[in-house]
Amino acid sequence: MSIFDLVLNISPSFHRQCSIRIDGEATGLATFEALPTGLLPRIAQSLPVKSEHMATLHRRTSTMLMEWNEQWSQLGLDGINIDGVFDPSNSKTQPFSLWSPREGTAAHTMLAAVFECFPFNLCSGPTGELLEIVRSYLDLQPPVSIINYKPTHLRLAPWVHANDACEVESHLRMLADDGDLIIDASGMERFCGALTRLLPVDYLLNRRGGVRWMVRSEFSNALIQAGVAQSMIEIVPISPISRTGEPIVLGSIFVDSSDLIAFAKAGERMELVRSFRKEYSLTIEQASKAAAELLEIVAYHPVL
């Protein structure tokens, strides 16, 4: 078995930067990490990688580099940039750069194997949510996932939209009607739209099995109005930023503009980028990174 290291530095256009490192021999270790930034703490998780999957990762990365296409590294404005280094023990180190790899390419196939190292049922909380977001840039994250916890969880992706309602309902109706179920919308971004337009609430209320809900506070009133008992709703706690905690620090930028905060709370990503560039004379890349940090801060720590 070839020994190798694979490092990926991941920069989504509108979300937090992070990295993945996979190293080992017959078996390996995969580590996902996002460094502390602004008011956001470090998140990190490491999981073992079985020998069969290590062999798959080595083979797919080698294939990608042998089939290299310069078009894979051409930058765009709204997507995800990945700077990688493949360091096999039996040959020289090979750096590479990818921009939003498309499904069907060797680059996309390699990344699919990388993210299989972090199954959602083993990655929860902020780590799991950031992994979901990154996978969504690569079309590796479905809008809805069924997780075989006890009871079963129907997990909604952070970016799920009312346009995905048919797919969500299809997954829901495949589940046994008499089994208890948790609707997990705890990572759903506030600007995705109404939860009651996404899910068939009447159907859920009439199931034989019990249904509980895990949501952010902004979704609870609509559920109650739709007939969901308040006792069946678990509000996911978030810590607010007090006014005495402002201005918010984004790298070297001090954010004290109420307009920027308002755009972030509304999820107006492009307007936020434009405003950052206007107020602080930033490049598009710098403004996108600042916007990503502020969006995440406001999502998890809403301003009072």
Side-chain angles (χ1 to χ4, degrees):
M1 172 66 68
S2 297
I3 302 170
F4 71 93
D5 289 348
L6 177 62
V7 179
L8 304 175
N9 293 309
I10 303 168
S11 301
S13 291
F14 297 104
H15 290 90
R16 188 176 178 182
Q17 291 179 299
C18 53
S19 65
I20 291 175
R21 181 184 182 92
I22 300 170
D23 55 82
E25 301 181 34
T27 59
L29 187 70
T31 299
F32 177 79
E33 181 179 27
L35 295 175
T37 179
L39 297 178
L40 301 176
R42 173 180 179 265
I43 61 173
Q45 184 162 358
S46 296
L47 293 172
V49 184
K50 294 181 179 180
S51 58
E52 297 86 353
H53 201 67
M54 287 294 289
T56 298
L57 285 165
H58 187 281
R59 183 178 66 255
R60 289 189 181 181
T61 307
S62 299
T63 299
M64 177 195 71
L65 293 169
M66 287 189 293
E67 297 180 2
W68 184 256
N69 187 328
E70 291 297 331
Q71 292 183 347
W72 294 347
S73 59
Q74 291 180 357
L75 294 176
L77 293 179
D78 184 2
I80 187 167
N81 184 63
I82 300 172
D83 289 321
V85 177
F86 181 53
D87 187 10
S89 61
N90 57 356
S91 61
K92 66 179 182 179
T93 299
Q94 296 175 271
F96 58 90
S97 181
L98 302 170
W99 172 260
S100 295
R102 294 183 178 181
E103 190 172 357
T105 63
H108 191 274
T109 300
M110 181 273 292
L111 290 171
V114 168
F115 282 92
E116 286 172 7
C117 295
F118 301 97
F120 183 80
N121 63 324
L122 298 179
C123 303
S124 59
T127 303
E129 289 171 16
L130 184 54
L131 278 163
E132 285 181 302
I133 288 168
V134 174
R135 285 196 294 259
S136 73
Y137 277 86
L138 301 166
D139 294 326
L140 293 172
Q141 176 66 36
V144 58
S145 302
I146 303 298
I147 305 170
N148 293 319
Y149 295 148
K150 290 187 177 181
T152 299
H153 282 50
L154 184 141
R155 171 74 179 186
L156 298 175
W159 47 268
V160 68
H161 189 272
N163 292 341
D164 301 307
C166 290
E167 183 173 350
V168 172
E169 183 169 355
S170 176
H171 279 73
L172 181 60
R173 290 183 180 274
M174 288 190 294
L175 300 174
D177 180 68
D178 57 351
D180 289 345
L181 177 66
I182 291 179
I183 304 296
D184 183 356
S186 58
M188 186 172 162
E189 294 184 349
R190 65 183 63 233
F191 42 83
C192 287
L195 187 57
T196 51
R197 295 180 185 175
L198 179 66
L199 287 159
V201 178
D202 288 342
Y203 171 77
L204 289 166
L205 290 174
N206 290 305
R207 290 179 82 252
R208 287 181 291 166
V211 179
R212 288 187 288 148
W213 302 73
M214 294 173 58
V215 301
R216 295 184 179 181
S217 58
E218 58 267 26
F219 296 119
S220 61
N221 286 340
L223 289 175
I224 293 170
Q225 292 174 6
V228 178
Q230 189 168 0
S231 61
M232 302 304 289
I233 301 173
E234 177 185 342
I235 303 298
V236 180
I238 46 180
S239 302
I241 301 169
S242 69
R243 294 193 181 278
T244 58
E246 296 179 81
I248 298 171
V249 180
L250 300 172
S252 61
I253 300 171
F254 290 83
V255 177
D256 55 6
S257 165
S258 59
D259 288 341
L260 287 172
I261 299 294
F263 288 141
K265 290 177 71 174
E268 298 288 345
R269 300 184 182 189
M270 295 308 298
E271 192 61 44
L272 193 55
V273 171
R274 283 192 286 268
S275 296
F276 265 118
R277 295 194 70 196
K278 180 180 178 181
E279 293 200 25
Y280 299 100
S281 300
L282 303 177
T283 65
I284 290 178
E285 182 179 7
Q286 290 170 329
S288 295
K289 290 179 179 179
E293 291 184 34
L294 186 55
L295 281 164
E296 188 168 356
I297 287 171
V298 170
Y300 285 101
H301 307 269
V303 181
L304 292 174

